[in-house]
Amino acid sequence: MLDKNPLMIDIDVKQWANLHHVVLKGLREKRRIVVIHENGKVQNISHSHEVEVVNPIRKVTDPEVDAKKLFEANEKNVDLVMVLERSHVENYYNEVQSSWKVDEDLDEYMYRMYSLLDCYYPGIVAYPGPASRQFGLQWLLPGKVGYLQFKSVLESFADRGTAVVIAVFENKTELWTSLVLGVDEKGKISLITSVKQGIVKKDWREEYQDINRWVDENYWKSGLAIYMDKKDFLEISSSKAPSYLFKGLCDKGSIIIDPSTESLKAFVAKYRLHELS
């Protein structure tokens, strides 16, 4: 999905941060206790935010049980407990590094890297687990959407050789976040950027075509563009039925999709027929 060498250019830092905050959560953001041991003997135990660890352990007898006990004893100040056996971690990194292929998509490599963590249980343990769902970047979207689901959505609705534009507005003129993805002829994302602030002067609902023209002139032709306000974006992001809500907001005109693709039109129509049945 992501080209091995994508062009990332002119990304608006504030817009990117807003999107990241809603969609992704990284390991560094989690309050975590890390236990490093060798054959059960604890070499180091620390809290990522320099908080005192309650009931620290000196020996690991059962990594899963010990991680759970540490988590429960420190529940007010921790999101995650990691119990790592030094030799297992070294073997894990050796396998990850040796498996890299020069022509491989970057996201495929990253997905495999984090999926492999669970193969090293109980040498690498996370509580709550599993490790593959806690380490790295995790999706915060409803339904526990992950890499494979996002990849499927992009492949289903984006036409090759075009740009996908998503723009979310704080008010009538100011972009809260945006994303422009260039999908090449192989179906790989080879361009990642943001919409320039200031294109819309009075009201995005009347001027969104100016953004399409800006994308066409500066990058690739817009094949799919989705425009909405922040309130609707946040509501979709927290909904238990995001697809159904998305369709409803499109029908109401709250979300504007222009241009659209035949596959997305069929998706929206499917939900409309479901309502009528």
Side-chain angles (χ1 to χ4, degrees), residues 73-87:
N74 296 269
E75 196 163 4
K76 293 182 179 179
N77 294 309
V78 72
D79 300 310
L80 175 68
V81 174
M82 304 163 59
V83 180
L84 311 173
E85 207 285 326
R86 191 185 298 276
S87 64

Side-chain angles (χ1 to χ4, degrees), residues 59-200:
K59 186 175 182 179
V60 175
T61 54
D62 185 318
E64 184 77 28
V65 172
D66 294 334
K68 184 175 185 292
K69 288 180 178 178
L70 269 173
F71 183 88
E72 292 173 346
N74 296 269
E75 196 163 4
K76 293 182 179 179
N77 294 309
V78 72
D79 300 310
L80 175 68
V81 174
M82 304 163 59
V83 180
L84 311 173
E85 207 285 326
R86 191 185 298 276
S87 64
H88 283 75
V89 173
E90 291 175 353
N91 291 338
Y92 164 76
Y93 277 112
N94 286 336
E95 181 174 353
V96 166
Q97 291 172 357
S98 63
S99 70
W100 180 73
K101 303 171 185 176
V102 67
D103 293 325
E104 185 175 28
D105 291 348
L106 177 60
D107 53 337
E108 292 284 353
Y109 173 72
M110 296 298 291
Y111 174 73
R112 189 177 71 254
M113 181 176 75
Y114 288 112
S115 297
L116 188 62
L117 284 164
D118 297 336
C119 297
Y120 281 82
Y121 179 93
I124 298 176
V125 168
Y127 187 88
S132 62
R133 297 292 294 178
Q134 292 289 348
F135 295 0
L137 286 172
Q138 301 299 328
W139 298 88
L140 297 177
L141 297 175
K144 295 185 177 179
V145 169
Y147 164 72
L148 293 179
Q149 291 83 0
F150 182 80
K151 179 181 179 181
S152 176
V153 168
L154 187 68
E155 290 176 346
S156 298
F157 299 131
D159 290 339
R160 297 185 177 192
T162 65
V164 176
V165 182
I166 301 173
V168 181
F169 287 83
E170 182 98 52
N171 48 49
K172 288 185 176 182
T173 61
E174 185 177 359
L175 282 160
W176 182 72
T177 192
S178 68
L179 194 60
V180 179
L181 303 175
V183 183
D184 65 22
E185 296 297 341
K186 295 181 180 180
K188 309 296 184 185
I189 298 175
S190 56
L191 166 70
I192 303 173
T193 188
S194 305
V195 176
K196 185 176 70 173
Q197 197 76 257
I199 295 175
V200 173

